[in-house]
Amino acid sequence: MITINEVKKCYTLGENNSVPALDGVSFEINDGELVFVMGKSGSGKSTLLHILGGIDRPTSGIIKYGDIEITSLSERKLALFRRDNIGFVFQDYNLVPELTASENIKYPVLLAGRKPDRRLWEHLISTLELGDRLEHLPSQLSGGQQQRVAIARALISDPQVILCDEPTGNLDSEAAENVQNMLFRLNSDLKKTVVIVTHDSDFARKGKRTITLMDGRIT
Amino acid sequence: MKLITHYVLRNMSLHRARSIGAFLAYLVIMVFFAAELSMLDDFRISNETALDGIFGTHDGIFCTETPNVEQYGDFEATGVMAVKFTGTKDSEITDRLIIAGNADDTAVNLCSITAVEGRLPKTENEIALERSLHDILFPNSAVGDNISINITSSEKSQAVFLLCGIVNDFSGYQWDSSGNKPEMPNALVGGKCVDAMYYFVSVKGNVTGTDRAVFLPNQRNSLDLMNSMFGISSDNSAAILSVVLIMFVLISFVAVLFVFSRMNGKELGVLRSAGFDEKSVSAISAIRLSLLIVPALILGAVGGCAITMIRAGMVHCISIIKLAAFIVFSVVILCVAEIYWVKKGFRRPVNCELRKSPPKTGVKVTSSDPIWLYSLRSYIMNGQEISACAVTTFLAVMLLSISVSVNAQMRSTILQMERPYDMSVLFTDRTVTTLNVSRYNAGLSEQEFQALKNKGADVIGIKRQYVYELGVSDDSGDIYSDSRNDDIKQDMERLGFSDQDIFALRINGLDDDSVNYISGHIIDGEIDRIGLQTGTQAIWVSSGGADEHSVGDVIRLGFVVNSDPDEPSYDKMKYYEISVTICAVANFPFDSPDRKARALYDCIEGGLIWSDKAFENIGIQKGYDAVYLWFPEDNSAVYRLINDFQSHYGSLFHTTDYMHEQQVRTEITSQIEMVSVVFISGIAAVSLISFAVVTASRAAQRRKVYGYLRAAGLTGWQMFRLLMAENGISIAVSILSGAVLGWLLVCFLQIPMSGGWLIAVMAAGYAVVTACVCAIIAYRICRVSIAECIR
């Protein structure tokens, strides 16, 4: 279970001028749950996702993954925690341009000093239909293919939690549908906890739970 | 234009960190460059006179032993050249002086030359003759006539000169035509050059025929010094260094520019796709660049000059002109480069989509280590940026390799310079006759003399000491061929010296002739021969001046010995004093030149102490009669001499006066070292700054990738490894190849090396510093919010 308790995040824009991105957000996410986070631009969705994933720190408040309070972890421990427990999918994919698709997928596991699990690897490649694109550079892939690579990369270390920041934002409707289906299957088949930030209300409507943010607060 | 300017200002404001980074990079590089350039200029301009003033009272010494004026053609002197003419004319031996060339004031004053008719020479084809020589050789020629002189060893058989003047007979030289060696201020006579005279004359410009010219090492002229200071002080070397420095700094600038230029690519691409034409985009780049570099370079130049001024006290106009020209040149070059890159990148709107990905080349490069995998791939696919960094590193290490070697050589040279009276150079190939040993002695400088003199009012004279040489005598038989030998031996026996010690010293010994001569002029007291010989007594030579002493007065005498025979230097020079009692006062008539020389010779040896006035009477500069004692071939004799002194003269003690000359010398050498150190540190700093800027800029360009990698679990240590691996290959190759090439150049340029280890240490140090730079950048990246990186 992920517990978010009174999380606040303020951005400082000079002296005596801070803008609250999150203002006392509290909620819980159960293991294996699929949660959509919606809201207008600037409502704090991405900030919430970043803080949830431990790539940003809240100004105040606590985030717990089970018994582990990630907001009090050191940078190194936090990095190791992310590596083993969290997978990210970003809107603009964030693939490493110098690495091929297969290398991009394997990279998180390699960083941890392990080899990718063969069964998981084959499952991901076949499920995401990347078999004939593995040796291509990101620049040689379409948006949908890049996003599928990004999803495979997020899953390769078999994390329990998948955090997606507008994963279909840059995709056409057909590619978006494919990605959406994959994310649903991750949740339903692999029992992964999935948190998806999106603007797409149709997409969010397919889920069971949606958290809506407005001006940094849950409405 | 207004829109463009507005955009540029807004852009620089929004990208403050990037702009400030570029500004600081240009600024700091320029500070080092300006400091080094102005120091080079300052040193180059001031060193000649400074060094002349310090390393010798005179510009140089040359001698000739020619029996004719045949050697004239070998010297291309622009200053005074004095040649002793010892040829014959009508069977009459002449021993006179000819002055040819441009007589400068220093030499003229030094030699007390005055024109009794006409004027002194001003050009090379003019000549002035001594009156007596004129009367012998050219009695029918008058001032204004052309005269011809046979030159037997030159290609020319005859040289024609304009007789521009007749000069006095050089009585100031105490010219001794009787065969005795003249005692001359500022003159040194000895050995094989028994018929030669050495004159301190100004010889500026090229001097050929240096086998005939002798430069006393302790009086190194600037040319000699500069040649040995390769790369530091000579005009050509300074110019070469300046050019190398300029090229290096320019390359560093371009490397920094290249990286920053690519950082602006996205904005320019957007502008281009929004309808800005090529000219507008180029104008934006040029304006943005100019706004950054013009103030940075000007401020840097001011800062660099300020450093020089603080250190050296002045910055020459030429430095400011050079720096101004460099600023203009740099701005033009950088703007052209920037515009070139912009045009190349954004000529077609399709390029405005930005650099989507690197080319596929290099994909085959792989590694099982994820850090190396990324680094190698990045290295291959982003070769241009890394090459910019590698080139500056390569050049820097190469220059540093040469510089540290030059610096080591320079230090060695400075050490040699500190050997003030390195007679071995002067006399190595000479055959020396017995009793000419006095010609081994070099006088103290005026400063040294004053240093002794200033020790106290009682120091009224300087004791001349002689080193007697046994082994190289070309006389057969005993050391002394006349009755003096027996006298000395008897003296030594009385004093308790063994036979082996006889060669080492004869202190205050008077022969019978001298005793008889002096006795005839004693006006008070008696000659205490034993006391004189043991150094406890002295005879006061009176001249009726104010500095008189009377019988019974105790005076102190000082002299100098070098305590380290292997490495004579001012540091190791000791000043000794001895207290003596006046046993007699004498008054000499000094009525003939011959008698003067003989009297001086005997009296100085015999322990007669001369008043200042008495010295003046015979034309002796007392400052040069104090003697530096150093045995040229077997320095153990000096030790024995000192020991004998100390064992036999209880009142002997040494002082530790620090000489003014040494202080000035130290200042000069520290100035030279400063130039060298600043050059080395400047190059190191410029290259490290450009390395840091380029690496940091590349890291900034890749912050999104790094952000993702960190989100995926890259730790700080892995980030450091990644940065090191990414830059390490090029840096390692650059450092290694730079060091090797530098070493080869050092060998090629024949710069004596203190050891290749120096270059190895420098290269290792450079590698460590670059690693530290990478560590700092890695640390900085790890401190930046990942969310900011990937946003």
Side-chain angles (χ1 to χ4, degrees), chain B residues 537-551:
Chain B
Q537 304 281 332
I539 298 170
W540 180 250
V541 180
S542 170
S543 66
D547 55 344
E548 291 300 289
H549 277 265
S550 55
V551 174

Side-chain angles (χ1 to χ4, degrees), chain A residues 26 35 75 95 120 128 130 201:
Chain A
S26 299
V35 178
E75 280 299 325
L95 299 179
L120 179 59
L128 295 167
L130 290 170
S201 54

